[in-house]
Amino acid sequence: DYETVIAGGHPTMADYCYGNMFAGCTSLTTAPALPATTLAWGCYGNMFYGCTALTKAPELPATVLTEACYNGMFYGCTSLTTAPALPATTLAGYCYYYMFNGCTKIKLSTTKIGEYQTAYRIPKSGTGTTATDALTDMFASTGGTFTGTPSINTTYYTSNTVV
């Protein structure tokens, strides 16, 4: 919706929009801004899947999530060294499912120790509620001492920069 964008607005997203958009782009180093605050079903799913040169995640300001919206978004991004803060307090089914799976430079710990000094929690503030499989294997095969499925409303610690 060019007219809405040029006027400074954010048009309503369609289901699956931006899904797989850059999947397999192994030379992509920079992600575009993703300013949407209300997401559609499956949008952004696997958007950067296998983008092995991507180092910085974009800010993800969405507060209204729908099913599978960030599913596998950064799966296999082995150079990713930043993690986005996640402000949504009501999680939809499969919304963060496998989001950072295989991102070996993303490091999380359950305790603040050594290199793990920056707090990271879902949601970033407030009290959240979760849906079926919203967080399943979000941090599977990552590089920290904690991997797998995080718990909502729990503070973890990272050695990465949070954007």
Side-chain angles (χ1 to χ4, degrees), residues 1-11:
D1 184 348
Y2 177 76
E3 291 176 4
T4 301
V5 172
I6 203 70
H10 302 290

Side-chain angles (χ1 to χ4, degrees), residues 76-154:
C77 293
T78 54
S79 296
L80 193 65
T81 58
T82 65
L86 302 170
T89 56
T90 302
L91 306 187
Y94 302 92
C95 62
Y96 299 141
Y97 187 88
Y98 281 92
M99 189 175 189
F100 299 104
N101 190 311
C103 296
T104 54
K105 291 187 179 177
I106 296 294
K107 297 180 179 182
L108 231 58
S109 172
T110 56
T111 55
K112 185 176 184 178
I113 189 169
E115 69 180 283
Y116 303 100
Q117 294 296 311
T118 303
Y120 189 84
R121 78 185 292 278
I122 303 162
K124 74 177 183 179
S125 62
T127 301
T129 59
T130 191
T132 302
D133 289 317
L135 299 166
T136 298
D137 287 334
M138 183 177 179
F139 293 99
S141 301
T142 54
T145 59
F146 172 83
T147 61
T149 303
S151 296
I152 196 163
N153 304 316
T154 300

Side-chain angles (χ1 to χ4, degrees), residues 35-59:
T37 56
T38 300
L39 303 183
W41 204 102
C43 69
Y44 299 150
N46 296 317
M47 186 176 190
F48 301 106
Y49 185 102
C51 293
T52 55
L54 184 66
T55 59
K56 184 179 179 192
E59 290 182 33

Side-chain angles (χ1 to χ4, degrees), residues 10 13 18 22 30-36 44 47-48 57-61 73:
H10 302 290
M13 299 176 101
Y18 305 113
F22 299 106
T30 305
L34 302 174
Y44 299 150
M47 186 176 190
F48 301 106
E59 290 182 33
L60 300 177
M73 187 176 193

Side-chain angles (χ1 to χ4, degrees), residues 7-28:
H10 302 290
T12 302
M13 299 176 101
D15 288 353
Y16 303 105
C17 63
Y18 305 113
N20 296 299
M21 185 174 202
F22 299 106
C25 292
T26 57
S27 296
L28 183 71

